[in-house]
């Protein structure tokens, strides 16, 4: 894990990130979510985020092991996507990427980091809880995160009743 290097994504990385996201998503077959597993990344959205400097990659010995996309929603840092290549799974790379976005948010005076995820998929909601994230109740969800959740619910295989928004306020234990 000591060899992990996190850097900003480059335009030439984007095709690799799209492939990595599909590979990482295959695990959703194991929880009966084939449409989620087969989802194709939005290449234009990746390109926009990269152009805004909002994608970071984790490299292991020069190979891209994972990536994370951030944005700002409701005034908070927001994790839009985090994917780790199956060959590098369960090595703490996702946690390092998430910590990187949390640090980015703090350095940009964001009060918290938010994300949307599946409440009951082990490597989603329960995993984020171990990192200090707490589920937001409906009334606590801001308008921009709410709009993101409505968009996600329109995607193939996404059951809105299984989704939640989570928050980690700055100053929370990591």
């Amino acid at each position: 894990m000591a060899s992990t290097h996190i850097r900003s994504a480059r335009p030439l990385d984007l095709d690799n990130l799209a492939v990595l996201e599909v590979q990482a998503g295959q695990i959703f077959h194991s929880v009966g979510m084939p449409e989620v597993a087969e989802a194709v990344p939005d290449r234009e959205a990746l390109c926009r985020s990269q152009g805004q400097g909002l994608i970071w990659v984790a490299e292991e010995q020069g190979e891209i092991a994972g990536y994370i996309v951030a944005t700002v929603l409701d005034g908070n840092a927001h994790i839009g996507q985090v994917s780790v290549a199956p060959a590098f799974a369960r090595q703490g790379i996702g946690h390092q990427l998430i910590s990187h976005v949390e640090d980015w948010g703090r350095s940009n005076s964001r009060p918290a980091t938010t994300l949307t995820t599946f409440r009951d998929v082990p490597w989603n909601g329960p995993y984020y809880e171990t990192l200090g994230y707490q589920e937001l109740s409906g009334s606590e969800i801001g308008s921009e995160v709410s709009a993101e959740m409505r968009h996600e619910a329109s995607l193939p295989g996404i059951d809105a009743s299984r989704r939640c928004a989570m928050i980690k306020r700055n100053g929370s234990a990591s």
Side-chain angles (χ1 to χ4, degrees), residues 1-10 13 17 55-68 88 91-94 96-97 100:
M1 214 162 72
S3 64
T4 302
H5 170 68
I6 297 178
R7 63 165 174 83
S8 292
R10 302 177 191 120
D13 294 328
L17 300 186
I55 303 179
W56 294 273
V57 299
E59 287 185 334
E60 287 282 333
Q61 290 131 9
E63 187 178 346
I64 295 177
Y67 80 98
I68 194 163
F88 295 98
Q91 296 177 29
I93 291 168
Q96 290 178 64
L97 287 164
H100 184 82

mmCIF file of all heavy atoms in Angstrom, residues 1-10 13 17 55-68 88 91-94 96-97 100:
data_model
loop_
_atom_site.group_PDB
_atom_site.id
_atom_site.type_symbol
_atom_site.label_atom_id
_atom_site.label_comp_id
_atom_site.label_asym_id
_atom_site.label_seq_id
_atom_site.Cartn_x
_atom_site.Cartn_y
_atom_site.Cartn_z
ATOM 1 N N MET A 1 0.816 -1.197 0.000
ATOM 2 C CA MET A 1 0.000 0.000 0.000
ATOM 3 C C MET A 1 0.856 1.255 0.000
ATOM 4 O O MET A 1 0.443 2.281 -0.507
ATOM 5 C CB MET A 1 -0.934 0.007 1.214
ATOM 6 C CG MET A 1 -2.247 0.660 0.898
ATOM 7 S SD MET A 1 -3.558 0.272 2.075
ATOM 8 C CE MET A 1 -3.057 1.203 3.508
ATOM 9 N N ALA A 2 2.063 1.171 0.505
ATOM 10 C CA ALA A 2 2.935 2.337 0.583
ATOM 11 C C ALA A 2 3.278 2.887 -0.792
ATOM 12 O O ALA A 2 3.624 4.044 -0.923
ATOM 13 C CB ALA A 2 4.207 1.988 1.343
ATOM 14 N N SER A 3 3.151 2.040 -1.824
ATOM 15 C CA SER A 3 3.534 2.490 -3.164
ATOM 16 C C SER A 3 2.407 3.216 -3.896
ATOM 17 O O SER A 3 2.602 3.658 -5.018
ATOM 18 C CB SER A 3 4.011 1.293 -3.991
ATOM 19 O OG SER A 3 2.941 0.382 -4.163
ATOM 20 N N THR A 4 1.219 3.320 -3.280
ATOM 21 C CA THR A 4 0.101 3.994 -3.942
ATOM 22 C C THR A 4 0.409 5.473 -4.095
ATOM 23 O O THR A 4 0.804 6.143 -3.147
ATOM 24 C CB THR A 4 -1.209 3.819 -3.148
ATOM 25 O OG1 THR A 4 -1.479 2.430 -3.018
ATOM 26 C CG2 THR A 4 -2.368 4.492 -3.848
ATOM 27 N N HIS A 5 0.226 5.953 -5.321
ATOM 28 C CA HIS A 5 0.435 7.368 -5.633
ATOM 29 C C HIS A 5 -0.888 7.908 -6.180
ATOM 30 O O HIS A 5 -1.450 7.327 -7.107
ATOM 31 C CB HIS A 5 1.555 7.508 -6.671
ATOM 32 C CG HIS A 5 1.680 8.886 -7.230
ATOM 33 N ND1 HIS A 5 2.113 9.950 -6.478
ATOM 34 C CD2 HIS A 5 1.411 9.370 -8.477
ATOM 35 C CE1 HIS A 5 2.114 11.036 -7.246
ATOM 36 N NE2 HIS A 5 1.696 10.708 -8.448
ATOM 37 N N ILE A 6 -1.386 8.988 -5.598
ATOM 38 C CA ILE A 6 -2.626 9.602 -6.078
ATOM 39 C C ILE A 6 -2.270 10.873 -6.827
ATOM 40 O O ILE A 6 -1.507 11.702 -6.332
ATOM 41 C CB ILE A 6 -3.606 9.882 -4.917
ATOM 42 C CG1 ILE A 6 -4.020 8.550 -4.278
ATOM 43 C CG2 ILE A 6 -4.824 10.660 -5.420
ATOM 44 C CD1 ILE A 6 -4.932 8.669 -3.097
ATOM 45 N N ARG A 7 -2.813 10.993 -8.033
ATOM 46 C CA ARG A 7 -2.549 12.160 -8.882
ATOM 47 C C ARG A 7 -3.818 12.533 -9.629
ATOM 48 O O ARG A 7 -4.762 11.738 -9.730
ATOM 49 C CB ARG A 7 -1.422 11.861 -9.863
ATOM 50 C CG ARG A 7 -1.755 10.752 -10.847
ATOM 51 C CD ARG A 7 -0.807 10.709 -12.034
ATOM 52 N NE ARG A 7 -1.053 9.570 -12.901
ATOM 53 C CZ ARG A 7 -1.975 9.524 -13.845
ATOM 54 N NH1 ARG A 7 -2.797 10.539 -14.048
ATOM 55 N NH2 ARG A 7 -2.109 8.441 -14.607
ATOM 56 N N SER A 8 -3.820 13.737 -10.194
ATOM 57 C CA SER A 8 -4.944 14.162 -11.024
ATOM 58 C C SER A 8 -4.982 13.318 -12.298
ATOM 59 O O SER A 8 -3.929 12.984 -12.855
ATOM 60 C CB SER A 8 -4.795 15.632 -11.401
ATOM 61 O OG SER A 8 -4.958 16.431 -10.254
ATOM 62 N N ALA A 9 -6.187 13.008 -12.735
ATOM 63 C CA ALA A 9 -6.350 12.255 -13.978
ATOM 64 C C ALA A 9 -5.963 13.129 -15.163
ATOM 65 O O ALA A 9 -6.179 14.342 -15.152
ATOM 66 C CB ALA A 9 -7.788 11.779 -14.119
ATOM 67 N N ARG A 10 -5.402 12.494 -16.164
ATOM 68 C CA ARG A 10 -5.027 13.159 -17.414
ATOM 69 C C ARG A 10 -6.011 12.744 -18.510
ATOM 70 O O ARG A 10 -6.605 11.667 -18.415
ATOM 71 C CB ARG A 10 -3.620 12.727 -17.831
ATOM 72 C CG ARG A 10 -2.570 13.015 -16.784
ATOM 73 C CD ARG A 10 -1.187 12.479 -17.253
ATOM 74 N NE ARG A 10 -0.249 12.519 -16.141
ATOM 75 C CZ ARG A 10 0.372 11.448 -15.635
ATOM 76 N NH1 ARG A 10 0.181 10.256 -16.161
ATOM 77 N NH2 ARG A 10 1.204 11.583 -14.621
ATOM 78 N N ASP A 13 -5.927 9.228 -19.636
ATOM 79 C CA ASP A 13 -6.365 8.204 -18.684
ATOM 80 C C ASP A 13 -7.822 7.792 -18.892
ATOM 81 O O ASP A 13 -8.232 6.729 -18.434
ATOM 82 C CB ASP A 13 -6.263 8.718 -17.230
ATOM 83 C CG ASP A 13 -4.846 8.970 -16.770
ATOM 84 O OD1 ASP A 13 -3.928 8.264 -17.215
ATOM 85 O OD2 ASP A 13 -4.675 9.887 -15.932
ATOM 86 N N LEU A 17 -9.975 4.582 -17.460
ATOM 87 C CA LEU A 17 -10.885 4.721 -16.321
ATOM 88 C C LEU A 17 -12.243 4.118 -16.644
ATOM 89 O O LEU A 17 -12.846 3.462 -15.794
ATOM 90 C CB LEU A 17 -11.031 6.193 -15.915
ATOM 91 C CG LEU A 17 -9.756 6.912 -15.496
ATOM 92 C CD1 LEU A 17 -10.092 8.304 -14.980
ATOM 93 C CD2 LEU A 17 -8.961 6.126 -14.485
ATOM 94 N N ILE A 55 -11.089 14.575 -11.042
ATOM 95 C CA ILE A 55 -10.856 13.128 -11.032
ATOM 96 C C ILE A 55 -9.421 12.900 -10.586
ATOM 97 O O ILE A 55 -8.492 13.540 -11.080
ATOM 98 C CB ILE A 55 -11.052 12.471 -12.410
ATOM 99 C CG1 ILE A 55 -12.452 12.733 -12.966
ATOM 100 C CG2 ILE A 55 -10.790 10.954 -12.313
ATOM 101 C CD1 ILE A 55 -12.701 12.116 -14.341
ATOM 102 N N TRP A 56 -9.268 11.972 -9.647
ATOM 103 C CA TRP A 56 -7.933 11.571 -9.199
ATOM 104 C C TRP A 56 -7.789 10.070 -9.402
ATOM 105 O O TRP A 56 -8.756 9.325 -9.241
ATOM 106 C CB TRP A 56 -7.733 11.917 -7.720
ATOM 107 C CG TRP A 56 -7.722 13.388 -7.489
ATOM 108 C CD1 TRP A 56 -6.649 14.226 -7.557
ATOM 109 C CD2 TRP A 56 -8.838 14.232 -7.154
ATOM 110 N NE1 TRP A 56 -7.033 15.524 -7.293
ATOM 111 C CE2 TRP A 56 -8.374 15.555 -7.046
ATOM 112 C CE3 TRP A 56 -10.195 13.978 -6.947
ATOM 113 C CZ2 TRP A 56 -9.206 16.629 -6.730
ATOM 114 C CZ3 TRP A 56 -11.028 15.037 -6.636
ATOM 115 C CH2 TRP A 56 -10.527 16.347 -6.527
ATOM 116 N N VAL A 57 -6.588 9.652 -9.769
ATOM 117 C CA VAL A 57 -6.314 8.231 -9.940
ATOM 118 C C VAL A 57 -5.307 7.781 -8.892
ATOM 119 O O VAL A 57 -4.461 8.552 -8.446
ATOM 120 C CB VAL A 57 -5.791 7.902 -11.359
ATOM 121 C CG1 VAL A 57 -6.813 8.274 -12.417
ATOM 122 C CG2 VAL A 57 -4.474 8.579 -11.640
ATOM 123 N N ALA A 58 -5.445 6.516 -8.520
ATOM 124 C CA ALA A 58 -4.474 5.869 -7.633
ATOM 125 C C ALA A 58 -3.631 4.965 -8.517
ATOM 126 O O ALA A 58 -4.164 4.153 -9.271
ATOM 127 C CB ALA A 58 -5.177 5.043 -6.562
ATOM 128 N N GLU A 59 -2.322 5.149 -8.436
ATOM 129 C CA GLU A 59 -1.406 4.316 -9.208
ATOM 130 C C GLU A 59 -0.642 3.398 -8.278
ATOM 131 O O GLU A 59 -0.225 3.803 -7.198
ATOM 132 C CB GLU A 59 -0.391 5.177 -9.965
ATOM 133 C CG GLU A 59 -0.957 5.912 -11.141
ATOM 134 C CD GLU A 59 0.125 6.653 -11.919
ATOM 135 O OE1 GLU A 59 1.172 7.005 -11.335
ATOM 136 O OE2 GLU A 59 -0.077 6.881 -13.121
ATOM 137 N N GLU A 60 -0.476 2.167 -8.728
ATOM 138 C CA GLU A 60 0.365 1.178 -8.050
ATOM 139 C C GLU A 60 1.437 0.774 -9.055
ATOM 140 O O GLU A 60 1.099 0.212 -10.099
ATOM 141 C CB GLU A 60 -0.465 -0.051 -7.649
ATOM 142 C CG GLU A 60 -1.397 0.182 -6.490
ATOM 143 C CD GLU A 60 -0.677 0.177 -5.157
ATOM 144 O OE1 GLU A 60 0.372 -0.468 -5.026
ATOM 145 O OE2 GLU A 60 -1.185 0.841 -4.239
ATOM 146 N N GLN A 61 2.685 1.083 -8.772
ATOM 147 C CA GLN A 61 3.796 0.771 -9.672
ATOM 148 C C GLN A 61 3.492 1.189 -11.110
ATOM 149 O O GLN A 61 3.692 0.436 -12.057
ATOM 150 C CB GLN A 61 4.157 -0.711 -9.589
ATOM 151 C CG GLN A 61 4.805 -1.061 -8.267
ATOM 152 C CD GLN A 61 4.181 -2.284 -7.625
ATOM 153 O OE1 GLN A 61 3.378 -2.990 -8.209
ATOM 154 N NE2 GLN A 61 4.553 -2.535 -6.378
ATOM 155 N N GLY A 62 2.956 2.412 -11.258
ATOM 156 C CA GLY A 62 2.694 2.973 -12.573
ATOM 157 C C GLY A 62 1.413 2.510 -13.236
ATOM 158 O O GLY A 62 1.070 2.973 -14.315
ATOM 159 N N GLU A 63 0.678 1.591 -12.612
ATOM 160 C CA GLU A 63 -0.580 1.096 -13.178
ATOM 161 C C GLU A 63 -1.749 1.743 -12.439
ATOM 162 O O GLU A 63 -1.717 1.875 -11.211
ATOM 163 C CB GLU A 63 -0.630 -0.430 -13.007
ATOM 164 C CG GLU A 63 -1.809 -1.071 -13.692
ATOM 165 C CD GLU A 63 -1.803 -2.592 -13.552
ATOM 166 O OE1 GLU A 63 -0.775 -3.169 -13.159
ATOM 167 O OE2 GLU A 63 -2.860 -3.178 -13.822
ATOM 168 N N ILE A 64 -2.783 2.140 -13.187
ATOM 169 C CA ILE A 64 -3.955 2.737 -12.545
ATOM 170 C C ILE A 64 -4.720 1.643 -11.801
ATOM 171 O O ILE A 64 -5.190 0.678 -12.402
ATOM 172 C CB ILE A 64 -4.859 3.465 -13.557
ATOM 173 C CG1 ILE A 64 -4.105 4.660 -14.151
ATOM 174 C CG2 ILE A 64 -6.152 3.924 -12.879
ATOM 175 C CD1 ILE A 64 -4.871 5.408 -15.217
ATOM 176 N N ALA A 65 -4.806 1.803 -10.484
ATOM 177 C CA ALA A 65 -5.459 0.814 -9.631
ATOM 178 C C ALA A 65 -6.889 1.224 -9.289
ATOM 179 O O ALA A 65 -7.706 0.389 -8.919
ATOM 180 C CB ALA A 65 -4.655 0.625 -8.347
ATOM 181 N N GLY A 66 -7.189 2.517 -9.389
ATOM 182 C CA GLY A 66 -8.522 2.992 -9.057
ATOM 183 C C GLY A 66 -8.635 4.468 -9.355
ATOM 184 O O GLY A 66 -7.648 5.129 -9.683
ATOM 185 N N TYR A 67 -9.861 4.958 -9.253
ATOM 186 C CA TYR A 67 -10.066 6.397 -9.441
ATOM 187 C C TYR A 67 -11.296 6.860 -8.684
ATOM 188 O O TYR A 67 -12.133 6.063 -8.271
ATOM 189 C CB TYR A 67 -10.146 6.761 -10.919
ATOM 190 C CG TYR A 67 -11.475 6.508 -11.592
ATOM 191 C CD1 TYR A 67 -12.401 7.528 -11.763
ATOM 192 C CD2 TYR A 67 -11.796 5.253 -12.087
ATOM 193 C CE1 TYR A 67 -13.607 7.303 -12.396
ATOM 194 C CE2 TYR A 67 -13.007 5.017 -12.727
ATOM 195 C CZ TYR A 67 -13.899 6.050 -12.879
ATOM 196 O OH TYR A 67 -15.097 5.832 -13.498
ATOM 197 N N ILE A 68 -11.358 8.172 -8.509
ATOM 198 C CA ILE A 68 -12.488 8.792 -7.821
ATOM 199 C C ILE A 68 -12.846 10.085 -8.533
ATOM 200 O O ILE A 68 -11.960 10.783 -9.047
ATOM 201 C CB ILE A 68 -12.152 9.030 -6.328
ATOM 202 C CG1 ILE A 68 -13.407 9.344 -5.516
ATOM 203 C CG2 ILE A 68 -11.071 10.099 -6.166
ATOM 204 C CD1 ILE A 68 -13.209 9.192 -4.007
ATOM 205 N N PHE A 88 -6.791 -4.959 -7.601
ATOM 206 C CA PHE A 88 -6.282 -4.146 -6.489
ATOM 207 C C PHE A 88 -7.306 -3.996 -5.364
ATOM 208 O O PHE A 88 -7.103 -3.224 -4.427
ATOM 209 C CB PHE A 88 -5.867 -2.766 -6.997
ATOM 210 C CG PHE A 88 -4.710 -2.799 -7.946
ATOM 211 C CD1 PHE A 88 -4.913 -2.763 -9.315
ATOM 212 C CD2 PHE A 88 -3.410 -2.893 -7.470
ATOM 213 C CE1 PHE A 88 -3.845 -2.804 -10.197
ATOM 214 C CE2 PHE A 88 -2.338 -2.941 -8.333
ATOM 215 C CZ PHE A 88 -2.552 -2.898 -9.704
ATOM 216 N N GLN A 91 -7.376 -3.602 -0.775
ATOM 217 C CA GLN A 91 -6.019 -3.224 -0.363
ATOM 218 C C GLN A 91 -5.976 -1.813 0.216
ATOM 219 O O GLN A 91 -4.909 -1.254 0.406
ATOM 220 C CB GLN A 91 -5.053 -3.326 -1.555
ATOM 221 C CG GLN A 91 -4.895 -4.735 -2.093
ATOM 222 C CD GLN A 91 -3.996 -4.795 -3.312
ATOM 223 O OE1 GLN A 91 -3.098 -3.986 -3.476
ATOM 224 N NE2 GLN A 91 -4.236 -5.767 -4.176
ATOM 225 N N GLY A 92 -7.146 -1.218 0.448
ATOM 226 C CA GLY A 92 -7.196 0.124 1.035
ATOM 227 C C GLY A 92 -7.119 1.252 0.028
ATOM 228 O O GLY A 92 -7.082 2.422 0.415
ATOM 229 N N ILE A 93 -7.126 0.923 -1.262
ATOM 230 C CA ILE A 93 -6.991 1.969 -2.287
ATOM 231 C C ILE A 93 -8.243 2.847 -2.334
ATOM 232 O O ILE A 93 -8.143 4.074 -2.426
ATOM 233 C CB ILE A 93 -6.662 1.332 -3.648
ATOM 234 C CG1 ILE A 93 -5.244 0.753 -3.578
ATOM 235 C CG2 ILE A 93 -6.793 2.354 -4.781
ATOM 236 C CD1 ILE A 93 -4.874 -0.155 -4.720
ATOM 237 N N GLY A 94 -9.429 2.230 -2.253
ATOM 238 C CA GLY A 94 -10.659 3.018 -2.234
ATOM 239 C C GLY A 94 -10.675 3.980 -1.058
ATOM 240 O O GLY A 94 -11.031 5.151 -1.197
ATOM 241 N N GLN A 96 -8.077 5.251 0.469
ATOM 242 C CA GLN A 96 -7.124 6.333 0.205
ATOM 243 C C GLN A 96 -7.717 7.371 -0.743
ATOM 244 O O GLN A 96 -7.533 8.581 -0.546
ATOM 245 C CB GLN A 96 -5.825 5.772 -0.383
ATOM 246 C CG GLN A 96 -5.009 4.973 0.623
ATOM 247 C CD GLN A 96 -3.759 4.402 -0.018
ATOM 248 O OE1 GLN A 96 -2.895 5.141 -0.446
ATOM 249 N NE2 GLN A 96 -3.685 3.084 -0.092
ATOM 250 N N LEU A 97 -8.427 6.916 -1.757
ATOM 251 C CA LEU A 97 -9.058 7.849 -2.694
ATOM 252 C C LEU A 97 -10.140 8.675 -1.994
ATOM 253 O O LEU A 97 -10.232 9.891 -2.188
ATOM 254 C CB LEU A 97 -9.650 7.084 -3.878
ATOM 255 C CG LEU A 97 -8.635 6.535 -4.879
ATOM 256 C CD1 LEU A 97 -9.279 5.482 -5.771
ATOM 257 C CD2 LEU A 97 -8.025 7.662 -5.704
ATOM 258 N N HIS A 100 -8.606 11.228 0.101
ATOM 259 C CA HIS A 100 -8.072 12.306 -0.745
ATOM 260 C C HIS A 100 -9.163 13.343 -1.037
ATOM 261 O O HIS A 100 -8.928 14.552 -0.941
ATOM 262 C CB HIS A 100 -7.505 11.727 -2.049
ATOM 263 C CG HIS A 100 -6.863 12.753 -2.918
ATOM 264 N ND1 HIS A 100 -5.572 13.185 -2.717
ATOM 265 C CD2 HIS A 100 -7.343 13.465 -3.961
ATOM 266 C CE1 HIS A 100 -5.286 14.114 -3.618
ATOM 267 N NE2 HIS A 100 -6.335 14.302 -4.378
#
